[in-house]
Amino acid sequence: MAAKPTSTPGPTRSPYAAPSSGPASAAELARLAGLLADRTRAAFCLALLDGRAWTAGELAAYAQVAPSTASEHLTRLTEGGLLAEHRQGRHRYVRLASARVAELIESLAAHLGPPAAPPRGLRAVSASAALARGRTCYDHLAGRLGVALTDAMTARGLLDQDGGFALTDAGRTWLTEGLGIEAAALCGGRRPQARGCLDWTERRPHLAGTAGARLCDRLLERRWIRRIGTGRAVRLTPDGAAALHELLGIDSAGAGLE
């Protein structure tokens, strides 16, 4: 597998963002729906929810399509504003264009019902169980791990889900002083500091926004969680289980995180 680029492509305007002159038109909404109304393009977008850049060849192999077919679909998604492209040498890398695009994809996935047939085979069952236990949702944590963190923060008064979905003063202090996250890093411009993202496996909200992204970063930096393979799945480490129990009172075994 080729090395991932270190630079991050800038966001591209997405067609589902309303133009400055007025609300989005029916034609724009139809164009957006058309971009996702293809199984291969939908598979690409779901794969890219891991927040990392993929090569066109990697996505072709993932979706089990020919490289030429993948290239055509990636061009449509890029021109439509859902993906951003970066070229490094002979490799073409793509990733979701912005956090807002990731929120759209995850929100649509959350509205789907359970699969018509459960996964079959040891590999498929294991992969499904790992994603349900813990995964990244673009740049924040989801699955049972993401929901457990959100619930624990809410129970301790760090997060307010009653008056909307917002960090409390105690929550900001906990993130900056307790976890050492710089206060400036919690300010994401027009992106909300905290946002509830409906989890598609747990059917309950987990923490998104800049606070969710910085929390995910810090857990990875401290090796309290680790990625499993090259996909979206993450797993709580023994050090992480001990730290989250001390900081938030999370019982990792009881929460099904082990």
Side-chain angles (χ1 to χ4, degrees):
M1 182 182 295
K4 302 296 186 188
T6 56
S7 58
T8 301
T12 303
R13 180 175 176 82
S14 175
Y16 74 91
S20 57
S21 58
S25 70
E28 290 172 323
L29 181 60
R31 280 195 293 272
L32 171 62
L35 287 173
L36 297 173
D38 177 90
R39 185 169 182 170
T40 298
R41 292 196 293 274
F44 289 172
C45 290
L46 288 172
L48 291 166
L49 276 174
D50 68 358
R52 294 179 286 184
W54 290 49
T55 67
E58 288 167 355
L59 286 170
Y62 175 83
Q64 298 182 336
V65 296
S68 59
T69 300
S71 181
E72 292 173 5
H73 286 302
L74 290 174
T75 297
R76 284 199 61 181
L77 290 168
T78 302
E79 292 177 348
L82 293 183
L83 302 186
E85 179 181 296
H86 173 76
R87 291 187 180 272
Q88 182 170 299
R90 63 186 180 86
H91 296 293
R92 177 191 189 187
Y93 292 91
V94 293
R95 66 190 312 157
L96 295 181
S98 68
R100 294 190 66 230
V101 173
E103 291 164 10
L104 172 69
I105 303 301
E106 183 77 7
S107 295
L108 288 173
H111 286 285
L112 301 177
R120 301 178 64 181
L122 180 59
R123 184 174 182 179
V125 170
S126 297
S128 178
L131 285 172
R133 183 174 56 242
R135 64 182 181 277
T136 52
C137 173
Y138 187 58
D139 60 2
H140 57 271
L141 293 168
R144 289 196 296 274
L145 175 59
V147 171
L149 284 164
T150 301
D151 287 349
M153 290 178 67
T154 302
R156 297 208 166 197
L158 309 177
L159 188 64
D160 179 14
Q161 294 193 50
D162 294 327
F165 207 99
L167 283 178
T168 63
D169 290 341
R172 281 184 285 273
T173 300
W174 181 76
L175 288 170
T176 55
E177 297 182 8
L179 293 182
I181 297 172
E182 293 186 8
L186 296 175
C187 301
R190 289 187 294 177
R191 188 181 185 189
Q193 190 173 71
R195 183 185 67 83
C197 181
L198 182 62
D199 197 282
W200 63 265
T201 52
E202 297 301 297
R203 305 293 169 174
R204 298 175 55 216
H206 58 246
L207 175 63
T210 56
R214 300 293 81 76
L215 180 60
C216 179
D217 288 343
R218 187 47 50 96
L219 266 59
L220 284 166
E221 289 167 3
R222 294 190 172 182
R223 299 183 180 180
W224 290 353
I225 58 173
R226 62 177 178 84
R227 293 188 181 275
I228 302 175
T230 58
R232 297 172 60 194
V234 297
R235 183 150 199 166
L236 193 63
T237 66
D239 286 347
L244 294 185
H245 183 268
E246 179 181 350
L247 291 170
L248 293 171
I250 294 176
D251 177 1
S252 58
L257 303 179
E258 297 182 353

